[in-house]
């Protein structure tokens, strides 16, 4: 589902204009960006969590040479129990 389709569905369900629904979606995205470090929960869907990845040894697929991969942080989405059960 695209952003415009999602906005149209929200606008229709809530009785809003499509432009207002797009603004709501953008505001939710902004909140998620700002709060991803501290865990951002979307009720009924899941949450965004910060995961620390350890340094590790990998391989260059072209040459087979071993390389050192630095420790890093990534954002992961953990689906809620309700979402998992609906699928």
């Amino acid at each position: 589902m695209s952003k415009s389709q999602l906005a149209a569905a929200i606008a229709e369900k809530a009785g809003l204009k499509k432009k207002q629904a797009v603004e709501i979606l953008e505001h939710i995205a902004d909140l998620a960006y700002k709060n991803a470090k501290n865990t951002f929960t979307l009720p009924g869907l899941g949450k965004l969590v910060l995961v620390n990845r350890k340094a590790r040894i990998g391989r260059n697929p072209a040459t087979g040479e071993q390389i050192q991969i630095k420790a890093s942080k990534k954002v992961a989405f953990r689906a809620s129990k309700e979402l998992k059960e609906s699928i």
Side-chain angles (χ1 to χ4, degrees), residues 10-76:
I10 291 171
E12 183 179 329
K13 180 74 175 180
L16 301 171
K17 293 181 180 178
K18 189 174 176 182
K19 186 175 181 180
Q20 291 171 320
V22 169
E23 289 174 2
I24 291 169
L25 288 173
E26 289 173 354
H27 185 65
I28 291 171
D30 288 339
L31 287 172
Y33 299 152
K34 291 177 185 174
N35 296 305
K37 291 180 184 177
N38 303 324
T39 301
F40 181 77
T41 302
L42 290 166
L45 292 177
K47 60 184 172 180
L48 296 172
V49 293
L50 187 63
V51 178
N52 293 317
R53 299 184 75 185
K54 296 179 182 177
R56 61 196 188 281
I57 296 175
R59 290 199 180 271
N60 179 339
T63 63
E65 177 187 1
Q66 286 190 348
I67 56 173
Q68 183 66 30
I69 301 172
K70 296 179 184 178
S72 63
K73 296 179 183 180
K74 76 170 202 162
V75 176

